[in-house]
């Protein structure tokens, strides 16, 4: 599953970050590394970008970039 | 700041020479607040050599017996693997690689106590460079309120550097911070091998080392941070966001905020602008009355004073715009505005951050272009700068008003709607359409960018700090007056000279209009015979296809200093008293009655429309060009801007005039 697909409010764990090196590196520097818990907070009014919560802070990123982040849902 | 030779630094006693201390940290970590708290008003802004990124330097008294240290506020960065220009500058300055900048004696890393893990990423990279590092733990009061208990001593021990909690607003912890900085510098100086020991290479850039670093930080934080159980209820910020980034309320609130800003720049600024204009007009008149008539009086009253006034008149708008922008930035709302608009702006080939600069350009492109600094991607920023002058600014309004009042007053369309309003609206829409098309072309040709990730932090909401906002406004206004002012002044004098030389035979000429009819005739004769007048006549064959005669040509030439000057120039050329409001009935009549040598009217409604189209599309504004020169740090982009807009204006105006004639209008 990719980050943009997780249900709103649910917590998932990052398993891998794919895509071009430039994008990947930026995302990982911001704390989106394998093992980190992430939560989808909301989407912008037109559905893009999305707002996620990672490491206790909020981050906006575009859906195209979020599709490169592979996650597994945490059980409730 | 002048460079201090490195060798001298190494041998001098660290405690008797002024120390250089850098402040680094993530964006939104409270770096600027700490910098302002430590330096107070003792700060100034300089540009880094060769680039447009600014560096703020302030004086900080670490201990009463020492000379104050130089504190350098670096741009915010997330890691030493710099991606943006700001980050590269900060990285180079930290590692002592920046030109004309000595290596700092110590680095204060600002770490947000409420967001330890991500903030410590940069801190740990800096600690590894073996420079003397002190961590300033900001937002400590907020962390306490969130019931996060941080064992500061344990954290410091695990990281191997002193950690000092600070609350910038209340000056809490600043004395201890000074002590810690002095201690690490003294400790580093006592190590004889210190300088050679320093690591100067890039930190490794492979993904695995990045992951390992995060895991190490997680362990360090787990050992020193005691957090309450995952709170079930949402944070205050998330609750505010439920409204401010709501599907419907979000855009509605944003629209209201934009309207407020637009209203402020457009109408609140008009009174102070009027006062500034009046002061300089009175000053000009005083000089004219008190100096013997001649070149000196003309230069002062017709070139220098209006030139300076023409710069200062923008200050109220710049002040108001940056008041709003820095409040929106400081409170955290700006990031939400970008979040809300990114999708729409992206369909235009831009990004969310371009919204504010483009909107403020409807008042004036000068503060609008200055506001593009918030756009990180250099190509997106340049595109925004290059299309901002298409937004119909307040200086075009007098020209539109004059044309509409002269040719289209009292006319109605569809029964009730005034034709003037329809024309005005169409002119604004024409500018916006041109901007969208040009942005699309630029982004698909010379400013084609490889996809860069859009990753933006949405910081927690905070009350904007009076100090931070005040400092930001002072800095912007000061920079504008100093840098753009010199260029605008020089060009104003040049344009004055073009209209004032060669002197007309009677030698008593004045370049500006006065109420006296005889003076008006003299002024008209002067401008006709001046270089500008000759250029206007030489220009006539070129602008004839647009429907313009040589008198309009003179107006066009003078309007390249500032658009509204065409009105005073036309007043002089047609020998009527100038009225700054542009509503002069005499000028309206003069235009309606003006005849070409063959007896046909020089001005028709179609000529009026053609002229307005020209004004929508051309970049006739020295202030804009000067500010683009400053923001892009080269003459290349302002020259490109003025040329492509001129071509567009010429073609647009010609199509309007010739097309109108084909359709049978006159």
């Amino acid at each position: 599953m990719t980050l943009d697909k997780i249900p709103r409010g649910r917590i998932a764990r990052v398993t891998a970050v794919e895509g071009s090196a430039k994008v990947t590196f930026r995302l990982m520097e911001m704390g989106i590394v394998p093992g980190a818990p992430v939560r989808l907070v909301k989407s912008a009014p037109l559905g893009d970008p999305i707002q996620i919560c990672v490491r206790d802070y909020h981050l906006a990123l575009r859906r195209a970039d979020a599709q490169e982040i592979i996650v597994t849902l945490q059980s409730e | 700041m002048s460079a201090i030779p490195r060798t001298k630094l190494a041998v001098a006693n660290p405690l008797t020479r002024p120390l250089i201390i850098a402040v680094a940290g993530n964006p939104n970590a409270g770096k600027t607040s700490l910098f302002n708290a430590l330096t107070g008003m003792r700060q100034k802004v300089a540009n880094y050599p060769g680039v447009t990124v600014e560096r703020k330097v302030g004086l900080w008294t670490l201990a009463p017996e020492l000379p104050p240290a130089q504190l350098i506020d670096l741009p915010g960065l997330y890691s030493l693997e710099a991606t943006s220009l700001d980050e590269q500058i900060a990285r180079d300055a930290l590692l002592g690689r920046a030109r004309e900048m000595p290596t700092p004696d110590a680095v204060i890393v600002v770490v947000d106590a409420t967001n330890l893990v991500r903030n410590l990423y940069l801190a740990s990279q800096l600690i590894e460079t073996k420079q003397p590092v002190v961590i300033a733990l900001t937002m400590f009061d907020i962390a306490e309120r969130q019931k996060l208990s941080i064992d500061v001593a344990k954290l410091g021990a695990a990281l191997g550097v002193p950690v000092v909690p600070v609350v910038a607003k209340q000056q809490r912890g600043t004395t201890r911070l000074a002590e810690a900085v002095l201690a690490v510098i003294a400790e580093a100086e006592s190590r004889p091998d210190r300088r050679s020991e320093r690591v100067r290479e890039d930190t490794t850039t492979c993904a695995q080392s990045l992951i390992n670093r995060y895991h190490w930080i997680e362990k360090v934080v787990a050992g020193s941070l005691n957090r309450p159980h995952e709170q079930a209820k949402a944070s205050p910020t998330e609750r505010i966001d439920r409204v401010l980034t709501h599907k419907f309320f979000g855009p509605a609130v944003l629209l209201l905020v934009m309207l407020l800003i637009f209203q402020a720049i457009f109408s609140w600024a008009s009174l102070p602008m009027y006062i500034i204009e009046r002061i300089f007009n009175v000053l000009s008149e005083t000089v004219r009355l008190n100096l013997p008539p001649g070149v000196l009086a003309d230069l002062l009253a017709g070139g220098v004073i209006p030139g300076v006034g023409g710069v200062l008149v923008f200050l109220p708008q710049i002040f108001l715009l940056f008041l709003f922008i820095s409040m929106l930035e400081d409170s955290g709302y700006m990031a939400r505005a970008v979040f809300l608009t990114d999708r729409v702006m992206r369909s235009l080939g831009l990004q969310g951050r371009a919204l504010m600069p483009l909107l403020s350009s409807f008042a004036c492109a000068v503060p609008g272009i200055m506001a593009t600094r918030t756009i990180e991607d250099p190509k997106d920023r340049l595109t925004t700068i290059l299309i901002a002058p298409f937004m119909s600014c307040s200086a075009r309004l007098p020209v539109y008003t004059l044309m509409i009042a002269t040719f289209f007053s009292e006319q109605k369309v569809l029964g009730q709607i005034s034709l003037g309003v329809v024309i005005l609206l169409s002119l604004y829409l024409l500018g916006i359409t041109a901007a969208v098309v040009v942005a699309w072309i630029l982004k698909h040709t010379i400013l084609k960018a490889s996809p860069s990730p859009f990753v933006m932090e949405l910081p927690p909401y905070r009350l904007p700090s009076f100090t931070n906002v005040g400092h930001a406004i002072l800095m912007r206004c000061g920079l504008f007056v100093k840098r753009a002012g010199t260029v605008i002044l020089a060009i104003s004098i040049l344009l004055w000279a073009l209209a004032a030389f060669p002197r007309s035979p009677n030698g008593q000429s004045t370049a500006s209009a006065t109420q006296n009819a005889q003076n008006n005739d003299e002024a008209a004769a002067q401008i006709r015979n001046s270089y500008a007048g000759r250029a206007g006549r030489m220009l006539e064959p070129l602008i004839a296809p647009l429907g313009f005669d040589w008198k309009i040509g003179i107006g066009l030439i003078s309007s390249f200093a500032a658009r509204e000057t065409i009105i005073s120039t036309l007043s002089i050329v047609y020998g009527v008293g100038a009225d700054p409001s542009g509503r002069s009935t005499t000028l309206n009549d003069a235009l309606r009655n003006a005849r070409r040598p063959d007896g046909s009217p020089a001005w028709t409604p179609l000529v009026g429309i053609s002229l307005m189209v020209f004004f929508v599309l051309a970049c006739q504004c020295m202030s804009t060009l000067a500010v683009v020169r400053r923001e892009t740090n080269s003459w290349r982009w302002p020259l490109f801007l003025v040329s492509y807009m001129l071509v567009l204006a010429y073609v647009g105006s010609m199509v309007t005039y010739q097309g109108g004639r084909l359709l049978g209008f006159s």
Side-chain angles (χ1 to χ4, degrees):
Chain A
M1 182 178 249
T2 54
L3 178 58
D4 59 309
K5 300 276 179 357
I6 58 175
R8 198 168 143 166
R10 287 283 296 278
I11 293 174
R13 255 175 216 284
V14 177
T15 50
V17 184
E18 295 173 344
S20 77
K22 195 173 158 195
V23 179
T24 312
F25 216 81
R26 190 59 172 170
L27 292 171
M28 300 220 309
E29 280 176 346
M30 301 293 283
I32 307 174
V33 297
V38 288
R39 173 169 61 96
L40 181 72
V41 181
K42 64 165 73 170
S43 319
L46 292 171
D48 197 10
I50 58 168
Q51 178 181 357
I52 62 161
C53 182
V54 59
R55 302 192 185 277
D56 299 328
Y57 79 99
H58 291 250
L59 202 61
L61 63 164
R62 288 181 179 160
R63 275 190 187 275
D65 295 325
Q67 276 162 10
E68 308 284 3
I69 302 167
I70 317 293
V71 296
T72 48
L73 268 185
Q74 295 279 93
S75 48
E76 290 274 290
Chain B
M1 191 175 59
S2 66
I4 303 168
R6 186 67 72 64
T7 47
K8 221 173 174 180
L9 265 180
V11 290
N13 181 339
L15 299 184
T16 53
R17 67 179 163 80
L19 296 167
I20 297 165
I21 297 157
V23 186
N26 288 179
N28 306 311
K31 206 167 48 64
T32 305
S33 298
L34 179 67
F35 181 80
N36 287 340
L38 294 180
T39 60
M41 291 302 289
R42 298 181 300 171
Q43 43 178 281
K44 60 172 189 201
V45 184
N47 256 31
Y48 286 91
V51 287
T52 53
V53 180
E54 283 154 353
R55 78 172 159 211
K56 279 201 290 180
V57 182
L59 293 179
W60 179 31
T61 310
L62 289 134
E65 69 275 14
L66 296 178
Q70 280 202 24
L71 199 64
I72 301 170
D73 187 18
L74 296 172
L77 75 170
Y78 288 110
S79 89
L80 291 184
E81 264 76 58
T83 44
S84 75
L85 180 64
D86 271 21
E87 284 187 321
Q88 280 170 33
I89 302 274
R91 192 238 357 239
D92 289 350
L94 283 169
L95 299 180
R97 290 198 207 129
R99 272 189 297 147
E100 295 173 38
M101 256 191 82
T103 314
D105 293 289
V107 179
I108 296 176
V109 189
V110 175
V111 168
D112 178 353
T114 63
N115 187 0
L116 275 179
V117 177
R118 198 206 61 213
N119 276 259
L120 284 176
Y121 183 81
L122 172 71
S124 72
Q125 284 186 324
L126 277 168
I127 292 166
E128 271 174 27
T129 64
K130 298 240 163 52
Q131 308 194 58
V133 167
V134 174
I135 289 178
L137 211 52
T138 54
M139 317 281 169
F140 204 68
D141 48 340
I142 300 171
E144 280 170 345
R145 236 175 291 147
Q146 290 180 2
K147 309 232 162 34
L148 298 172
S149 83
I150 301 167
D151 189 330
V152 174
K154 233 180 185 173
L155 184 63
L159 294 169
V161 294
V163 176
V164 182
V166 292
V167 180
K169 240 179 247 169
Q170 299 151 26
Q171 302 268 348
R172 248 170 79 191
T174 51
T175 321
R176 283 202 47 213
L177 187 64
E179 289 163 8
V181 168
L182 287 175
V184 291
I185 293 174
E187 202 260 339
E189 293 286 333
S190 70
R191 279 186 314 209
D193 55 344
R194 171 187 167 234
R195 295 275 160 188
S196 57
E197 192 193 20
R198 272 196 196 173
V199 180
R200 285 269 185 277
E201 293 134 44
D202 263 346
T203 35
T204 42
T205 52
C206 88
Q208 191 53 48
S209 77
L210 193 159
I211 297 168
N212 292 345
R213 186 184 297 277
Y214 259 112
H215 287 166
W216 179 77
I217 294 168
E218 277 163 18
K219 240 177 272 160
V220 169
V221 171
S224 47
L225 172 72
N226 201 344
R227 60 163 69 227
H229 282 291
E230 288 295 327
Q231 62 272 60
K233 66 176 183 146
S235 64
T237 290
E238 260 183 75
R239 267 176 285 154
I240 298 173
D241 267 343
R242 275 181 203 157
V243 179
L244 293 189
T245 59
H246 183 271
K247 237 183 192 62
F248 305 111
F249 300 130
V253 171
L254 180 64
L255 203 67
L256 283 179
V257 171
M258 292 301 169
L259 277 178
L260 177 74
I261 296 174
F262 196 44
Q263 172 74 15
I265 316 177
F266 216 75
S267 63
W268 301 357
S270 62
L271 180 65
M273 288 175 83
Y274 175 75
I275 294 173
I276 293 173
E277 250 170 35
R278 288 299 305 163
I279 291 175
F280 279 89
N281 282 350
V282 169
L283 216 61
S284 271
E285 284 309 308
T286 318
V287 167
R288 222 179 264 290
L289 290 175
N290 290 301
L291 281 184
V295 178
L296 178 68
D298 252 13
L299 171 65
L300 285 178
V304 174
I305 295 173
V308 173
V311 176
L312 294 185
V313 80
F314 290 113
L315 265 186
Q317 290 187 332
I318 292 176
F319 177 90
L320 282 169
L321 178 66
F322 282 98
L323 171 72
F324 282 104
I325 287 188
S326 38
M327 278 190 346
L328 294 184
E329 293 264 14
D330 221 42
S331 64
Y333 184 73
M334 190 64 102
R336 272 74 185 182
V338 174
F339 180 70
L340 289 172
T341 52
D342 182 70
R343 184 69 194 81
V344 179
M345 298 302 281
R346 193 157 19 124
S347 59
L348 307 181
L350 294 165
Q351 52 147 300
R353 288 183 189 277
L355 180 74
M356 183 64 66
L358 290 182
L359 263 178
S360 29
S361 296
F362 277 112
C364 177
V366 171
I369 286 166
M370 285 164 74
T372 59
R373 282 164 177 270
T374 49
I375 303 172
E376 277 161 33
D377 184 275
K379 286 183 176 166
D380 281 355
R381 176 162 179 244
L382 197 50
T383 310
T384 313
I385 290 178
L386 292 177
I387 62 165
F390 279 122
M391 306 296 131
S392 272
C393 64
S394 51
R396 284 165 169 118
L397 262 184
V399 183
Y400 298 165
T401 322
L402 175 70
M403 290 299 123
I404 290 172
T406 307
F407 300 110
F408 305 101
S409 62
E410 313 285 316
Q411 297 182 43
K412 303 258 188 230
V413 282
L414 299 174
Q416 282 309 303
I417 311 159
S418 134
L419 179 60
V421 171
V422 176
I423 292 176
L424 203 59
L425 201 66
S426 315
L427 295 173
Y428 276 83
L429 284 177
L430 174 66
I432 296 170
T433 314
V436 169
V437 172
V438 170
W440 190 89
I441 295 172
L442 287 175
K443 291 296 283 184
H444 285 81
T445 53
I446 52 171
L447 294 176
K448 201 169 187 164
S450 61
S452 62
F454 171 79
V455 184
M456 180 186 64
E457 191 179 347
L458 295 163
Y461 287 109
R462 284 177 206 129
L463 269 184
S465 128
F466 181 78
T467 329
N468 290 357
V469 171
H471 274 292
I473 296 174
L474 273 182
M475 194 177 95
R476 285 288 147 242
C477 293
L479 282 178
F480 171 73
V481 172
K482 202 167 81 192
R483 305 241 173 80
T486 45
V487 179
I488 299 167
L489 180 62
I491 292 168
S492 309
I493 293 174
L494 180 75
L495 279 166
W496 163 82
L498 287 179
F501 291 101
R503 317 295 292 167
S504 19
N506 56 13
Q508 282 270 335
S509 73
T510 46
S512 88
T514 60
Q515 304 308 310
N516 186 295
Q518 194 194 334
N519 274 1
N520 284 342
D521 288 345
E522 280 173 15
Q526 166 64 39
I527 202 157
R528 243 174 259 139
N529 295 321
S530 70
Y531 292 116
R534 291 176 198 183
R537 270 173 296 180
M538 260 163 55
L539 216 57
E540 197 173 42
L542 195 64
I543 56 176
L546 317 186
F548 306 157
D549 66 359
W550 68 270
K551 291 182 177 180
I552 305 179
I554 299 179
L556 283 183
I557 292 172
S558 73
S559 71
F560 272 85
R563 294 177 175 95
E564 63 274 31
T565 46
I566 191 176
I567 293 173
S568 55
T569 310
L570 286 178
S571 306
I572 298 169
V573 175
Y574 285 105
V576 293
D579 177 350
S581 71
R583 278 180 224 100
S584 155
T585 47
T586 47
L587 182 56
N588 293 342
D589 290 338
L591 295 186
R592 275 193 288 256
N593 298 330
R595 290 283 177 273
R596 289 171 197 259
D598 63 6
S600 65
W603 290 81
T604 62
L606 188 59
V607 172
I609 291 183
S610 172
L611 188 74
M612 286 191 284
V613 168
F614 191 90
F615 269 74
V616 169
L617 299 175
C619 184
Q620 305 146 290
C621 179
M622 282 303 157
S623 312
T624 300
L625 295 178
V627 100
V628 172
R629 152 80 185 86
R630 184 176 129 52
E631 294 295 316
T632 60
N633 226 334
S634 87
W635 278 111
R636 198 158 51 120
W637 292 111
L639 286 176
F640 173 73
L641 178 69
V642 74
S643 334
Y644 96 78
M645 285 184 73
L646 186 61
V647 170
L648 211 60
Y650 186 86
V651 173
S653 204
M654 186 161 71
V655 168
T656 308
Y657 185 70
Q658 300 298 343
R661 296 228 310 185
L662 281 179
L663 293 175
F665 295 101
S666 61

